[in-house]
Amino acid sequence: MRYFLGIFFLMIGLQFTSRSLGLYARMGYSFIHYGRQASAGWWHRHIFNVFRALILAAVVARIFVDIDPWLGVLDALYYGPVLVTGMVFLLFSFSLVNYLQAYMHEEWRSGVDPKQGRHLITEGPFSRSRNPVFLSVMLGQLGFFLALPSIFSLVCLIAGVTVLIRQAKVEEKALADLFGDPYEAYRRRVPRWL
């Protein structure tokens, strides 16, 4: 599990960075948007980035050094079936996020893009949830907690879910401002989560 988590989170970072750089090189603009400085979206992005860096540092360090006592590993949950369930959730979450981002194709953005607005996606997975990408990321955060049951991963789970819930509200307000009545009709028809 130590090797899996270290390699898994390193590969996620490389995949996301490479994809973002490739999109920028081809399209000529960034698909990652922080929002106005000190806005809610800006804070959410920075908090998420801090936790992402902490997680990557912890799981890579665990390959070489036993830092589990510092992470507050919960021995009562640290056994095979729980760890494997976490690993499966992480892999399933990773696959779902990639599928959903590919489904969104040119409409995919990370954060609120003030120039976005060509097409409101309401079909496919978005006909069942307004935020399937965030749900998939939350599943991955739960998977991380189960794959490394600890105080550290529990704090990451709580912070991550809180930030995603708050960011969903920011992005939905931006979509309502951008698309108006069509978005309101979609919002009434499809639940925010499930």
Side-chain angles (χ1 to χ4, degrees):
M1 191 56 72
R2 288 176 188 270
Y3 288 101
F4 168 78
L5 287 174
I7 292 167
F8 178 81
F9 280 99
L10 185 60
M11 294 307 294
I12 283 178
L14 291 172
Q15 188 262 349
F16 185 77
T17 301
S18 299
R19 183 171 194 252
S20 299
L21 290 173
L23 284 168
Y24 183 80
R26 180 164 185 260
M27 307 300 282
Y29 58 90
S30 179
F31 281 61
I32 301 171
H33 302 278
Y34 281 68
R36 282 183 350 271
Q37 188 169 0
S39 67
W42 185 87
W43 280 110
H44 299 154
R45 168 64 66 181
H46 284 288
I47 291 168
F48 210 80
N49 285 346
V50 165
F51 276 93
R52 190 179 325 189
L54 288 172
I55 289 168
L56 180 60
V59 296
V60 170
R62 282 183 81 231
I63 293 173
F64 305 104
V65 181
D66 181 16
I67 62 169
D68 286 2
W70 297 349
L71 301 176
V73 168
L74 304 171
D75 292 328
L77 294 174
Y78 201 90
Y79 64 98
V82 174
L83 302 179
V84 169
T85 300
M87 184 173 65
V88 169
F89 282 10
L90 282 166
L91 291 169
F92 188 61
S93 166
F94 179 71
S95 298
L96 276 174
V97 168
N98 278 296
Y99 171 81
L100 292 163
Q101 289 178 350
Y103 188 90
M104 295 171 77
H105 191 48
E106 291 179 358
E107 303 303 322
W108 174 78
R109 301 291 187 278
S110 181
V112 176
D113 181 359
K115 297 176 186 148
Q116 184 183 16
R118 294 181 306 270
H119 178 68
L120 176 63
I121 300 173
T122 61
E123 63 277 349
F126 294 87
S127 68
R128 293 179 289 281
S129 170
R130 297 193 312 262
N131 293 286
V133 176
F134 285 173
L135 276 175
S136 300
V137 173
M138 288 179 196
L139 177 66
Q141 292 171 326
L142 176 60
F144 176 57
F145 171 70
L146 295 174
L148 177 58
S150 63
I151 301 302
F152 170 72
S153 60
L154 181 60
V155 169
C156 292
L157 173 63
I158 292 167
V161 169
T162 301
V163 166
L164 288 172
I165 289 170
R166 292 175 52 93
Q167 184 63 19
K169 292 176 184 175
V170 168
E171 292 189 15
E172 288 190 352
K173 182 182 180 324
L175 289 169
D177 291 346
L178 191 61
F179 291 105
D181 291 338
Y183 183 78
E184 284 304 314
Y186 170 64
R187 189 186 61 76
R188 285 191 300 273
R189 188 176 68 251
V190 177
R192 175 176 284 158
W193 303 114
L194 293 172

